[in-house]
């Protein structure tokens, strides 16, 4: 281990010929802890999500929800990794910049991602409509937990299919750039756990493989190939979190779909009343 | 994957508690270092593992994911996981990711060890 200079022996980084990165790695004297270089990459703390309406998505089941990580989920814990070789010509930063900028365009048909217009930045909340079959869209969202030039991470709210996060990253391995999406998750409640077991995992694998393939095509790869690896990190279910079912966005989305004509009519009638205020 | 810029030194406090002093960058790349430290800390033989983050210089989301896998391992052995030495910034990240609901955070080593022997 290296011996670092104490407060009475400190010389400036310039004096001892260090790069900015090396200088940043030197601990500050006691009481003067410097801000770490990841400060701007993390979202600021939020207790509950706040969202603005976005065009093209229903936008329900997100506002007021708390974030959920694998600690708060119900089902078995899985780590799933989807990897693609982007070849030698594309730098990791370029791959991630393209991914961030065009993220919604790479999603498989029938699914909508309505993020901030500025791209993917820490603290952003995106609204999602996901095709779950039978003409029903599951409305949920994701929170941008972390973003830097080589990776970004999305975290899910209560009611999402899974509690956890997805990290999108790119790094150099030898001469090649490897691009990957890695999911660390537990199904959020017993209904989702059953759904994941009965084809949900396979559907998710297909979803992210299709997303990476679309990214590969955008990056100009002739034949993008995606490798999938799933590992069960914890086979225990967390029964103390079975009550997460209350927030289940799939159940709520079905109910919202059924109730849509009635709520739409009620809204129209309210606006037709004499003296009623119309929405801006 | 690039070599991890981290060291983890293990101190055993009696038979039941181990402290891991983490210095450097916590990323997904340091998982082998953390797991070696876990084994050096007695694996599942101690009842509590205390992580000292006073030397933490950088952490990304991969690092948080790695702590979750350590947590699973500790839970499997019925061990408690505690932490201290977190700056306000990293404490906020633990709260944001709700990792603080599973890893108890203390202000200093003394309280972490007292908590450990309570």
């Amino acid at each position: 281990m290296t011996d670092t200079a104490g407060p009475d022996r400190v010389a400036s980084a310039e004096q001892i010929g260090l790069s900015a990165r090396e200088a940043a790695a030197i601990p500050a004297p006691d009481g003067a802890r410097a801000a770490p270089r990841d400060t701007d990459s993390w979202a600021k703390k939020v207790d509950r999500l706040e969202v603005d309406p976005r065009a093209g998505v229903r936008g329900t089941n997100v506002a007021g929800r708390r974030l959920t990580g694998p600690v708060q989920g119900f089902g078995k814990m899985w780590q799933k990794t989807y990897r693609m070789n982007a070849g030698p010509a594309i730098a990791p930063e370029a791959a991630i910049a393209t991914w961030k900028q065009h993220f919604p365009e790479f999603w498989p048909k029938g699914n909508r991602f309505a993020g901030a217009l500025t791209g993917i930045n820490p603290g952003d909340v995106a609204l999602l409509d996901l095709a779950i079959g039978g003409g029903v869209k599951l409305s949920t969202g994701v929170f941008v937990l972390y973003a830097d030039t080589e990776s970004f991470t999305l975290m899910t709210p209560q009611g999402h299919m899974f509690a956890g996060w997805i990290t999108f990253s790119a790094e150099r391995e030898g001469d090649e750039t490897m691009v990957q999406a890695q999911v660390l998750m537990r199904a959020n409640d017993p209904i989702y756990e059953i759904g994941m077991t009965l084809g949900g995992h396979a559907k998710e694998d297909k979803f992210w493989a299709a997303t990476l393939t679309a990214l590969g095509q955008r990056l100009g790869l002739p034949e993008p190939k995606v490798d999938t690896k799933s590992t069960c990190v914890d086979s225990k279910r967390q029964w103390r979190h079975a009550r997460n079912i209350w927030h289940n966005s799939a159940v709520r989305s079905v109910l919202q779909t059924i109730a849509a004509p009635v709520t739409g009519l009620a809204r129209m009638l309210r606006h037709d009343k004499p003296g009623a205020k119309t929405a801006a | 994957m690039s070599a991890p810029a981290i060291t983890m030194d293990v101190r055993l406090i009696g038979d039941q508690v181990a402290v891991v002093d983490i210095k450097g960058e916590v990323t997904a790349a340091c998982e082998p270092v953390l797991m070696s430290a876990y084994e050096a800390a007695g694996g599942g033989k101690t009842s509590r593992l205390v992580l000292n983050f006073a030397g933490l210089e950088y952490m990304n989301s991969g690092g948080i994911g790695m702590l979750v896998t350590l947590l699973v391992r500790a839970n499997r052995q019925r061990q408690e996981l505690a932490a201290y030495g977190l700056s306000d910034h990293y404490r906020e990240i633990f709260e944001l990711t709700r990792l603080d609901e599973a890893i108890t955070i203390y202000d200093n080593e003394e309280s972490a060890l007292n908590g450990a022997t309570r």
Side-chain angles (χ1 to χ4, degrees):
Chain A
M1 215 192 305
T2 51
D3 181 21
T4 52
D8 56 343
R9 292 188 281 140
V10 171
S12 76
E14 205 178 345
Q15 276 176 305
I16 53 180
L18 296 180
S19 67
R21 190 174 189 277
E22 287 166 332
I26 295 176
D30 286 349
R33 223 165 167 178
R37 68 175 201 280
D38 58 51
T39 304
D40 295 335
S41 302
W42 286 96
K44 298 284 172 262
K45 194 188 156 202
V46 292
D47 289 322
R48 292 183 183 274
L49 298 180
E50 291 175 16
V51 289
D52 301 317
R54 304 252 166 82
V57 288
R58 186 157 47 192
T60 52
N61 310 321
V62 180
R65 300 291 176 96
R66 296 188 72 192
L67 292 168
T68 55
V71 170
Q72 288 76 34
F74 167 79
K76 293 178 179 181
M77 193 204 272
W78 291 90
Q79 181 170 283
K80 299 172 165 205
T81 309
Y82 310 91
R83 266 168 92 77
M84 178 181 71
N85 186 340
I90 297 151
E93 294 84 356
I96 290 300
T98 303
W99 209 346
K100 276 185 189 171
Q101 200 179 344
H102 302 283
F103 192 77
E105 298 164 36
F106 302 137
W107 276 35
K109 210 177 161 194
N111 301 283
R112 293 292 307 267
F113 177 101
L117 291 173
T118 48
I120 294 200
N121 301 298
D124 285 349
V125 178
L127 301 175
L128 318 180
D129 273 354
L130 305 171
I132 55 169
V136 177
K137 299 271 185 195
L138 190 161
S139 297
T140 179
V142 284
F143 176 81
V144 182
L145 178 68
Y146 180 94
D148 65 20
T149 54
E150 293 184 359
S151 69
F152 58 101
T153 300
L154 306 179
M155 189 171 179
T156 58
Q158 291 171 316
H160 195 95
M161 290 89 72
F162 65 82
W165 40 76
I166 314 169
T167 297
F168 306 89
S169 62
E171 65 176 356
R172 214 68 176 164
E173 262 188 27
D175 292 337
E176 316 276 307
T177 289
M178 301 300 294
V179 178
Q180 75 169 33
Q182 188 172 65
V183 185
L184 188 64
M185 54 86 78
R186 289 182 191 271
N188 231 326
D189 65 41
I191 292 179
Y192 283 136
E193 178 72 345
I194 293 168
M196 292 306 278
T197 309
L198 301 176
H201 281 298
K203 205 170 174 186
E204 189 186 30
D205 291 349
K206 225 169 146 184
F207 183 101
W208 290 116
T211 301
L212 257 95
T213 302
L215 170 67
Q217 285 162 348
R218 174 63 68 98
L219 294 173
L221 304 181
E223 285 178 30
K225 187 178 168 292
V226 179
D227 291 320
T228 301
K229 187 182 166 195
S230 295
T231 309
C232 184
V233 181
D234 185 12
S235 58
K236 281 190 179 160
R237 295 187 174 94
Q238 305 197 118
W239 284 95
R240 65 184 182 281
H241 294 307
R243 280 180 299 176
N244 289 350
I245 209 163
W246 172 251
H247 294 286
N248 188 300
S249 296
V251 172
R252 286 174 181 248
S253 294
V254 170
L255 296 175
Q256 285 154 5
T257 304
I258 294 167
V262 180
T263 51
L265 188 66
R267 202 176 300 129
M268 263 172 56
L269 291 173
R270 263 201 313 273
H271 290 173
D272 283 349
K273 271 187 188 169
K277 281 182 184 171
T278 49
Chain B
M1 205 175 264
S2 53
I6 192 158
T7 61
M8 294 192 193
D9 297 325
V10 177
R11 291 180 281 135
L12 290 169
I13 315 283
D15 295 337
Q16 293 299 309
V17 183
V19 177
V20 180
D21 297 313
I22 297 170
K23 287 178 190 147
E25 304 184 352
V26 174
T27 64
C30 69
E31 186 166 6
V33 182
L34 181 62
M35 292 312 159
S36 297
Y38 179 73
E39 292 306 322
K45 289 179 192 139
T46 51
S47 62
R48 184 135 161 159
L49 191 61
V50 178
L51 304 175
N52 169 14
F53 285 103
L56 178 61
E57 292 161 8
Y58 171 85
M59 182 163 64
N60 63 12
S61 54
I64 286 284
M66 191 200 58
L67 292 177
V68 172
T69 55
L70 175 70
L71 180 67
V72 168
R73 213 163 159 170
N75 285 346
R76 210 177 285 152
Q77 303 293 338
R78 299 181 185 281
Q79 290 173 303
E80 282 183 63
L81 215 51
Y84 75 94
L86 287 159
S87 65
D88 290 346
H89 169 62
Y90 290 117
R91 189 182 274 252
E92 206 170 86
I93 289 166
F94 268 58
E95 290 167 0
L96 176 67
T97 55
R98 298 182 68 187
L99 211 53
D100 64 321
E101 293 175 16
I103 302 176
T104 316
I105 299 173
Y106 294 90
D107 289 336
N108 51 48
E109 180 168 319
E110 193 187 358
S111 57
L113 295 180
N114 286 341
T117 54
R118 241 194 319 249

